[in-house]
Amino acid sequence: MISRKFGPNVRIAKVLTDIPLDIDHPVEFGVKLFCEMCRKCSNACPVKAIANEKPQSEAPNISSHKAITKWTVNAEKCFKFWVGSNSDCAICIRVYPYNKDYSKWWNRVGIKLANSPLRSLMLWLNDAVGFGIRMQPETWWNRNSN
Ligand code: SF4
């Protein structure tokens, strides 16, 4: 799920209530068009666990989500890679252009560009500033301790 305000940085939680609520619907704001152009996640995946063709509702295996038309992750390929690496991976998350800190104004401008006809400019800017490049651990720690 990608929100217009927070990108993919959203985690769903349950709240139990008896308040009468209206059911809303998915909001289209250009993500699919951006993803069709980008494909950074599937290109970067070391085991090609993210489909690179059109979105599908069929799951590649029993371990993957089904019944939603999307670029479904082949969970068995993905987790097999994790097990073989003795760690998790998250390369797809690192390179994902929507995965940004939206408390920063420039990233809020970026998501507006991504969801507009200027989406290819956003992708170019994303690469120009080096977003998604792997950092050395000390670089990351020093950056966040200042
Ligand atoms: S976590 Fe790694 S192996 Fe799994 S889908 Fe993402 S890039 Fe591929």
Side-chain angles (χ1 to χ4, degrees):
M1 190 189 91
I2 301 168
S3 100
R4 191 193 297 263
K5 193 167 177 188
F6 303 110
N9 302 325
V10 177
R11 290 293 173 267
I12 306 291
K14 290 178 189 161
V15 177
L16 302 178
T17 178
D18 59 359
I19 297 173
L21 297 169
D22 289 335
I23 297 171
D24 63 1
H25 300 281
V27 178
E28 293 286 338
F29 58 93
V31 174
K32 183 168 178 274
L33 289 171
F34 186 86
C35 292
E36 283 170 349
M37 176 195 70
C38 172
R39 311 309 309 141
K40 278 183 179 288
C41 59
S42 53
N43 292 336
C45 176
V47 290
K48 302 297 171 217
I50 306 172
N52 211 357
E53 56 268 7
K54 286 189 176 299
Q56 316 223 329
S57 57
E58 293 296 315
N61 49 53
I62 196 170
S63 307
S64 304
H65 290 167
K66 61 183 174 187
I68 301 168
T69 302
K70 60 180 191 144
W71 286 278
T72 302
V73 174
N74 183 326
E76 292 181 11
K77 264 190 182 179
C78 172
F79 287 119
K80 190 174 176 191
F81 180 68
W82 290 26
V83 170
S85 308
N86 292 322
S87 180
D88 56 10
C89 166
I91 291 172
C92 51
I93 295 170
R94 170 166 52 83
V95 302
Y96 187 48
Y98 275 101
N99 181 24
K100 294 207 163 69
D101 174 359
Y102 291 108
S103 68
K104 309 276 191 294
W105 68 264
W106 51 89
N107 289 330
R108 292 196 297 275
V109 171
I111 199 170
K112 283 191 189 318
L113 286 175
N115 301 330
S116 79
L118 297 174
R119 58 187 64 88
S120 56
L121 172 63
M122 186 279 189
L123 198 53
W124 181 85
L125 288 169
N126 183 80
D127 293 345
V129 299
F131 179 82
I133 292 174
R134 185 177 186 183
M135 278 184 210
Q136 292 301 316
E138 58 273 14
T139 307
W140 190 89
W141 284 107
N142 289 338
R143 183 190 73 162
N144 287 290
S145 63
N146 294 331

